[in-house]
């Protein structure tokens, strides 16, 4: 990786809704733009999904394309293609508490009435639990329909409120992101976790670009963090336009 023109400026990018459409693949035009941007400033990726899913969206070997790569909010961290750290939720919470959460979620979802249910309602990731009332195996049209239903009926918001009460003793954060699911992880394991790897003495500016920057969204904590300059985007095209104005004009 060559040194950019302004190495002391770093921009961190969410994936879904920022570099790609939700769960979609990056376009060749957007990827070429990101490569061009990386010649001007330091670029990093910070996504909530695990690395295999990130590779499905951004391409195989993405952890070695840009200087910084964080999957699962930074619980799996790479610098210049080298693995720095892996943290796991099972080790942190203990298996008994993981089972307690899973059993409660399965019972709760069995009693939730929504138009469509598919499969993979709980996805265990090394750093979090991803919970989807409709199930992650739904099709894209079903995903789009569920998002509208969820916004109208607050399915995810109500479930999060119930979990906060049920598991108040575990010190968990609940983050609604994407169209169909929400993440559950220990306090402090949101996207600000990745900032522990970024030495303040190495950078003058840390920019973050994301679409779920509202309170309760999975970009909110890093977007509003005192160390970052937050930017709300609405699509990959908007991300590109904002970056061109900020860094390439």
């Amino acid at each position: 990786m060559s040194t950019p023109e302004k190495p002391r400026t770093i921009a961190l990018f969410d994936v879904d809704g920022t570099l790609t459409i939700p769960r979609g693949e990056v376009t060749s035009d957007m990827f070429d733009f990101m490569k061009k941007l990386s010649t001007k400033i330091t670029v990093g990726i910070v996504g909530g999904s695990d690395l295999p899913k990130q590779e499905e969206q951004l391409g195989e070997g993405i952890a070695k394309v840009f200087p910084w790569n964080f999957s699962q909010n930074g619980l799996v961290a790479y610098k210049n293609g080298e693995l720095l750290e892996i943290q796991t939720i099972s080790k942190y919470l203990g298996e008994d508490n993981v089972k307690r959460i899973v059993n409660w979620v399965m019972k709760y979802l069995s009693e939730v009435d929504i138009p469509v249910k598919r499969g993979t309602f709980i996805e265990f990731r090394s750093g979090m639990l991803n919970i989807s009332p409709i199930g992650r195996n739904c099709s894209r049209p079903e995903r789009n329909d569920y998002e509208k239903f969820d916004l109208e009926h607050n399915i995810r918001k109500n479930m999060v409120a119930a979990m906060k009460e049920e598991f108040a003793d575990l010190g968990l954060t609940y983050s609604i992101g994407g169209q169909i699911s929400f993440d559950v992880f220990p306090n402090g394991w949101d996207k600000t976790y990745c900032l522990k790897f970024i030495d303040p003495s190495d950078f003058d500016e840390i920019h973050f670009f994301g679409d779920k920057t509202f309170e309760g969204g999975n970009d909110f904590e890093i977007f509003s963090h005192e160390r970052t300059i937050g930017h709300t985007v609405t699509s990959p095209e908007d991300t590109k336009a904002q970056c061109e104005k900020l860094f390439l004009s």
Side-chain angles (χ1 to χ4, degrees), residues 147-229:
E147 182 181 30
K148 296 172 186 174
F149 184 87
D150 185 81
L151 288 171
E152 183 179 348
H153 295 90
N154 294 318
I155 303 298
R156 288 182 292 176
K157 283 185 178 180
N158 291 341
M159 187 171 181
V160 163
M163 290 188 73
K164 284 182 176 178
E165 184 175 346
E166 180 70 23
F167 302 108
D169 59 308
L170 296 184
L172 299 173
T173 293
Y174 304 84
S175 183
I176 297 173
Q179 295 175 291
I180 62 169
S181 65
F182 62 93
D183 298 327
V184 182
F185 47 85
N187 292 340
W189 285 23
D190 51 62
K191 286 179 180 172
T192 61
Y193 191 90
C194 76
L195 296 177
K196 73 179 241 180
F197 300 103
I198 298 176
D199 191 331
S201 65
D202 290 339
F203 297 99
D204 298 321
E205 293 182 355
I206 303 173
H207 295 261
F208 172 76
F209 294 82
D211 66 319
K212 295 291 190 297
T213 57
F214 52 86
E215 189 166 5
N218 64 355
D219 296 325
F220 175 75
E221 289 84 3
I222 190 169
F223 168 81
S224 57
H225 196 274
E226 61 183 10
R227 288 185 60 196
T228 67
I229 302 168

Side-chain angles (χ1 to χ4, degrees), residues 1 4 7-13 19 34 38 41-47 51 54 58 61-71 74 76-85 193-200 202-203 206 227:
M1 300 175 192
R8 294 185 61 82
T9 297
I10 184 171
L12 300 172
F13 295 86
L19 298 180
M34 293 299 294
S38 69
I41 62 171
T42 303
V43 168
I45 309 297
V46 52
L51 186 56
Q54 196 179 107
L58 301 179
I62 188 62
K64 298 183 178 181
V65 174
F66 301 109
W68 293 94
N69 182 280
F70 304 106
S71 53
V76 179
Y78 282 82
K79 180 182 180 182
N80 295 323
E82 298 294 326
L83 180 64
L84 296 178
E85 179 181 295
Y193 191 90
C194 76
L195 296 177
K196 73 179 241 180
F197 300 103
I198 298 176
D199 191 331
D202 290 339
F203 297 99
I206 303 173
R227 288 185 60 196

Side-chain angles (χ1 to χ4, degrees), residues 21-206:
I21 62 171
R23 291 303 307 143
E25 295 180 12
V26 68
T27 64
S28 57
D29 180 67
M30 189 65 187
F31 192 78
D32 289 344
F33 174 77
M34 293 299 294
K35 291 284 289 182
K36 177 182 176 182
L37 183 64
S38 69
T39 68
K40 301 293 183 181
I41 62 171
T42 303
V43 168
I45 309 297
V46 52
S49 295
D50 59 24
L51 186 56
K53 282 190 173 59
Q54 196 179 107
E55 288 186 318
E56 288 176 10
Q57 293 182 265
L58 301 179
E60 190 173 341
I62 188 62
K64 298 183 178 181
V65 174
F66 301 109
W68 293 94
N69 182 280
F70 304 106
S71 53
Q72 299 185 66
N73 293 345
L75 299 178
V76 179
Y78 282 82
K79 180 182 180 182
N80 295 323
E82 298 294 326
L83 180 64
L84 296 178
E85 179 181 295
I86 297 178
Q87 178 60 277
T88 68
I89 192 171
S90 57
K91 182 169 64 177
Y92 182 84
L93 288 179
E95 291 298 344
D96 285 346
N97 281 322
V98 172
K99 287 191 294 183
R100 179 182 157 203
I101 294 169
V102 169
N103 290 342
W104 185 94
V105 167
M106 291 172 68
K107 184 174 186 298
Y108 182 96
L109 288 179
S110 73
E111 298 170 354
V112 171
D113 185 23
I114 57 177
V116 169
K117 288 185 181 180
R118 292 300 179 246
T120 312
F121 302 100
I122 307 171
E123 184 173 83
F124 182 86
R125 302 173 182 173
S126 65
M128 67 183 70
L129 296 174
N130 179 266
I131 298 169
S132 174
I134 185 177
R136 296 193 64 86
N137 289 355
C138 62
S139 67
R140 183 165 294 281
E142 289 167 345
R143 171 186 289 264
N144 293 338
D145 289 342
Y146 173 79
E147 182 181 30
K148 296 172 186 174
F149 184 87
D150 185 81
L151 288 171
E152 183 179 348
H153 295 90
N154 294 318
I155 303 298
R156 288 182 292 176
K157 283 185 178 180
N158 291 341
M159 187 171 181
V160 163
M163 290 188 73
K164 284 182 176 178
E165 184 175 346
E166 180 70 23
F167 302 108
D169 59 308
L170 296 184
L172 299 173
T173 293
Y174 304 84
S175 183
I176 297 173
Q179 295 175 291
I180 62 169
S181 65
F182 62 93
D183 298 327
V184 182
F185 47 85
N187 292 340
W189 285 23
D190 51 62
K191 286 179 180 172
T192 61
Y193 191 90
C194 76
L195 296 177
K196 73 179 241 180
F197 300 103
I198 298 176
D199 191 331
S201 65
D202 290 339
F203 297 99
D204 298 321
E205 293 182 355
I206 303 173

